[in-house]
Amino acid sequence: MIKLNSQHRVSFLAAAALLALGMALFPPGVVAQTAARPGEPVTLNFNNAEIDAVARTFASITGRNVVVDPRVKGTLTLVTDKPVSRAAAMGQFVAALRLQGFTLVDSDGLYKVVPEADAKLQSAGVSMRDGGEGNLPTGNQIVTQIFKLNFESANNLVPVLRPLISPNNTINANPGSNSLVITDYADNLRRMGRIIAAMDVANATDVEVIVLQHAIASDLAPLVLRLLGSSGSASPAGQVDTSFKTTLIAEPRSNALILRASNGAQLALARSLVARLDQPDAASSNGAAGNIHVVYLKNADATKMAATLRAAVSGAAAPAASAGVPGAAGAAVAQATTGGQIQADVATNSLIITAPEPQYRQLRAVIDKLDGRRAQVFVESLIAEVSADRAAEFGIQWQGPLGKAGDAVIGLLGTNFGAGGSNIINLATGAATGTVAPGRGLNFGAVQQTNGVYVLGFLARFLEESGSGNVLSTPNLLTLDNEEAKIVIGQNVPFVTGQFTSTGASSGSVNPFQTIERKDVGLTLKVKPQISENGTVKLAIYQEVSSVLASTVNASNGPTTNKRTIESNVLVEDGAIVVLGGLLQDEYSGNQEKVPGLGDVPLFGNLFKSEARTRKKTNLMVFLRPVVVRDAQATGQLSLDRYDLMRAGLQAAQPAPSNLVPINEAPLLPPAPVNATTGGTPAPLGATRQ
């Protein structure tokens, strides 16, 4: 046995020499150390010894280097009554350091005595725990361990475990992998592991399917949830509830309830409620043949639903009803059997079904499938039309008499082209009365006096004109799946379809009479969408763009309309853009009037010629984009986007400020409703959006 203390610092060689001389007694405070054999137990006897001296002693015991941080100061007392193993002695040393706020860190075979607050930065040991104990060292070593959680949230456990960890050590949560990272002493980490294992359990019971015998699953599910109280939460079929609450889902196909409770008590309560409510009707138990049921529809139209169900029931019941009854008599029996079973109540949008319980269950399963929320389709169309017109006219006309005053015969020589204000004869004869004005463009003329009257003898006319138009229309429609919608933007123009004039035989009065038909002229869009399972939208489209020709507004036979129509069926992906059709038109016309022979002479022939040319180009394209809107939130978001777009356009169209005109503000739309995107109760217009 070796007895060690450290009041005086004596080397191991000196201690061995003293022992060899047989010194049996040592005065208090004398150190006796020896190079003991490996595995030999030691007795500790340190009384107010310096920490660095004790650390060097344990370095010799363990055979490993020990480094003491300069900030580690003080003394400690470490005494054992009987010999202990070297591992136990090392554990007592670390425990004594821990009581004074220091610790021993094992770093790559080197022991470091450091303050406890810095140990987490210098500890190299990292352990992973995923359902097991992990590889934790023994003793009071500071290590880092990662706990991966399977059920409980890591953020929820941090405030629970934080008080159980020493203030100098850390605990952190990683939400991405749902794990905890804890740095602390190994013995405390073992305790943390047991606590985490006890808390990381599934908060909900296993999923249980309850098959109903008498009640209807879709009717019983909301009733049971209300009876369970606030802990229950209804989830539509096909959606997963990730929260650990009591969840009850109706499964219409098998007429069953899918139940998951937060604990055993809730599960037992739900089972008992379902068992008590799943009872046969009183009429069925008494043998009554015709039970009357009322089914309130949520989305479908009761009248259409009743007609569909009557047709389905009649087709299904016809073979059974006509068994043994030949021909048309069997069909008549089937119609009499099922004719009055289903009626629609328009006021409450409900169905009144008179049928035995088995048949009612079949009908109810069909109703639950048909009475679903239908998706909507928002159809955006763009009609872009660009037109450009150009016209050019050039002509020279002249007239002159041949002879002199007093001659019996006077000849006339000249050219005469064009019509109206561009005709030299019309201008000459109408100049006195002012009924004919010169044509548009540059007019250059010369007049000569004949018998005291000025007569137009020469006229040259030059004209070039151009015009362009850009029409952009964006009609939009929102309609239900498989429902036709129509939008008309234009004018209701009258067209004369007949007229009659009656003359009174006695009085001689005249009574004109006309029949007029009014037609829509403008833009018309009719669309009927059909959504397929993969999101593709089939569209039956009729689009018309019409306008009244301006030059025929006051025509005696009525106005003339330009009409462009597209009628087609297309397949479009949800949100994709498709071009429906278009028109690329280029028209050219030329008109030339000349004197034969003379008009063909180069340069000189322009004196005997009048020419006009026109060219018109029209580009018309029609684009369409359908967007499927499946729920209230998507509908609200779409409406809010369009509302903000229109409001931004009005803000940009505000008049420029003016000091001369007192009105400098145009009306603006109010801000969008607060909860337009939630699909809930709409806020009043003008409420500020949060």
Side-chain angles (χ1 to χ4, degrees):
M1 181 187 69
I2 301 174
K3 186 176 183 180
L4 302 175
N5 61 45
S6 61
Q7 279 297 331
H8 302 282
R9 301 177 182 179
V10 182
S11 64
F12 284 108
L13 294 177
L18 292 175
L19 289 174
L21 293 175
M23 294 181 63
L25 297 175
F26 294 91
V30 177
V31 179
Q33 302 179 6
T34 183
R37 292 188 300 272
E40 186 178 358
V42 296
T43 300
L44 304 179
N45 186 17
F46 296 100
N47 186 17
N48 292 328
E50 294 291 338
I51 294 178
D52 55 353
V54 179
R56 286 194 298 272
T57 302
F58 276 95
S60 62
I61 294 176
T62 59
R64 299 175 65 176
N65 294 328
V66 179
V67 178
V68 181
D69 192 284
R71 293 171 293 177
V72 177
K73 302 293 183 181
T75 61
L76 58 80
T77 299
L78 189 60
V79 179
T80 57
D81 296 335
K82 57 183 179 179
V84 295
S85 64
R86 303 193 180 204
M90 194 66 178
Q92 293 184 20
F93 174 55
V94 178
L97 290 175
R98 181 176 177 181
L99 294 176
Q100 298 194 28
F102 308 119
T103 189
L104 185 69
V105 176
D106 186 1
S107 177
D108 296 330
L110 177 67
Y111 285 146
K112 299 179 182 179
V113 181
V114 296
E116 188 180 68
D118 294 343
K120 58 180 175 291
L121 304 177
Q122 302 189 30
S123 176
V126 178
S127 177
M128 174 72 71
R129 173 174 176 147
D130 188 5
E133 289 293 332
N135 299 321
L136 290 176
T138 59
N140 295 308
Q141 293 289 326
I142 289 185
V143 294
T144 299
Q145 186 166 9
I146 301 174
F147 295 88
K148 296 189 67 176
L149 305 180
N150 297 319
F151 304 101
E152 187 57 70
S153 173
N155 290 326
N156 294 341
L157 288 183
V158 170
V160 177
L161 301 177
R162 175 70 263 186
L164 304 178
I165 299 173
S166 60
N168 291 327
N169 294 321
T170 60
I171 175 173
N172 296 287
N174 180 18
S177 61
N178 194 34
S179 58
L180 294 172
V181 182
I182 305 177
T183 302
D184 204 357
Y185 291 97
D187 55 354
N188 195 36
L189 286 178
R190 290 187 179 88
R191 185 166 64 106
M192 292 292 104
R194 291 190 292 270
I195 295 174
I196 293 173
M199 300 181 68
D200 185 26
V201 295
N203 290 338
T205 60
D206 293 336
V207 176
E208 183 170 346
V209 179
I210 304 175
V211 180
L212 302 181
Q213 301 297 328
H214 306 284
I216 304 298
S218 56
D219 291 340
L220 196 58
L223 179 59
V224 173
L225 282 175
R226 291 182 60 185
L227 294 174
L228 289 176
S230 59
S231 61
S233 61
S235 297
Q239 296 185 4
V240 179
D241 185 11
T242 58
S243 62
F244 297 125
K245 298 180 180 180
T246 301
T247 307
L248 192 63
I249 304 175
E251 207 286 301
R253 185 183 62 84
S254 59
N255 193 37
L257 296 175
I258 303 175
L259 175 64
R260 187 183 69 170
S262 57
N263 50 61
Q266 284 288 96
L267 179 61
L269 177 60
R271 284 176 180 171
S272 63
L273 289 176
V274 172
R276 293 180 182 180
L277 294 175
D278 187 22
Q279 300 295 330
D281 294 339
S284 299
S285 60
N286 294 332
N291 297 327
I292 300 178
H293 306 271
V294 178
V295 180
Y296 293 95
L297 302 181
K298 299 177 182 178
N299 300 285
D301 182 76
T303 304
K304 296 181 180 179
M305 180 74 75
T308 302
L309 293 177
R310 280 196 293 265
V313 172
S314 299
S322 59
V325 181
V333 171
Q335 181 66 27
T337 303
T338 61
Q341 289 183 343
I342 305 171
Q343 295 294 332
D345 182 51
V346 180
T348 59
N349 194 39
S350 59
L351 297 175
I352 303 173
I353 301 176
T354 304
E357 190 68 22
Q359 189 176 12
Y360 170 69
R361 290 179 179 276
Q362 295 178 355
L363 292 174
R364 187 57 189 272
V366 176
I367 292 172
D368 291 339
K369 292 181 179 180
L370 296 179
D371 187 27
R373 180 186 175 94
R374 297 167 63 184
Q376 301 181 93
V377 179
F378 181 73
V379 181
E380 296 178 292
S381 60
L382 186 147
I383 305 170
E385 180 178 359
V386 180
S387 61
D389 302 336
R390 296 190 63 185
E393 296 183 22
F394 165 77
I396 296 177
Q397 305 174 59
W398 50 275
Q399 294 286 336
L402 297 177
K404 60 179 186 282
D407 292 344
V409 178
I410 298 178
L412 293 175
L413 179 64
T415 58
N416 182 24
F417 305 129
S422 61
N423 182 265
I424 190 173
I425 300 298
N426 292 342
L427 287 176
T429 57
T433 60
T435 56
V436 180
R440 296 179 302 165
L442 176 62
N443 292 275
F444 176 77
V447 297
Q448 62 181 0
Q449 186 178 18
T450 303
N451 297 327
V453 178
Y454 288 96
V455 179
L456 181 64
F458 176 81
L459 175 64
R461 180 170 179 262
F462 305 88
L463 173 65
E464 182 176 353
E465 61 177 337
S466 62
S468 61
N470 185 3
V471 179
L472 180 65
S473 302
T474 57
N476 300 329
L477 272 178
L478 180 65
T479 181
L480 282 174
D481 182 23
N482 262 336
E483 294 289 341
E484 182 179 296
K486 178 181 178 181
I487 183 173
V488 178
I489 305 172
Q491 296 177 326
N492 197 254
V493 180
F495 291 87
V496 178
T497 58
Q499 55 185 1
F500 175 75
T501 303
S502 61
T503 303
S506 59
S507 61
S509 61
V510 178
N511 298 321
F513 177 80
Q514 288 183 337
T515 58
I516 296 176
E517 179 185 4
R518 292 186 174 270
K519 295 182 179 181
D520 294 328
V521 177
L523 190 147
T524 302
L525 173 64
K526 289 194 297 184
V527 60
K528 183 179 181 180
Q530 182 179 355
I531 305 173
S532 61
E533 289 295 332
N534 58 358
T536 304
V537 183
K538 179 183 178 182
L539 298 172
I541 304 165
Y542 175 81
Q543 192 157 30
E544 176 184 312
V545 180
S546 58
S547 61
V548 176
L549 191 62
S551 59
T552 62
V553 172
N554 299 321
S556 58
N557 295 328
T560 302
T561 58
N562 299 320
K563 186 176 181 180
R564 300 178 179 91
T565 302
I566 294 178
E567 188 171 1
S568 177
N569 296 316
V570 296
L571 285 175
V572 191
E573 296 296 328
D574 182 12
I577 299 176
V578 64
V579 56
L580 295 182
L583 171 67
L584 303 178
Q585 186 177 11
D586 193 349
E587 299 179 5
Y588 172 81
S589 62
N591 183 30
Q592 188 180 66
E593 298 177 357
K594 64 181 179 180
V595 176
L598 295 178
D600 297 328
V601 177
L603 188 62
F604 182 75
N606 291 326
L607 299 176
F608 304 92
K609 184 189 303 182
S610 178
E611 188 173 2
R613 296 179 181 179
T614 60
R615 185 174 184 179
K616 181 179 181 180
K617 297 183 68 175
T618 302
N619 297 331
L620 172 66
M621 299 298 292
V622 180
F623 300 89
L624 187 139
R625 175 177 179 261
V627 178
V628 179
V629 183
R630 299 189 181 275
D631 51 21
Q633 183 177 2
T635 304
Q637 184 64 43
L638 182 64
S639 302
L640 181 61
D641 290 342
R642 295 302 181 270
Y643 191 88
D644 288 343
L645 181 64
M646 181 176 294
R647 192 168 185 269
L650 292 178
Q651 288 177 337
Q654 289 291 312
S658 173
N659 294 328
L660 299 178
V661 182
I663 300 176
N664 292 321
E665 294 182 359
L668 282 177
L669 288 173
V674 176
N675 53 351
T677 61
T678 61
T681 303
L685 287 177
T688 304
R689 190 158 35 125
Q690 297 177 351

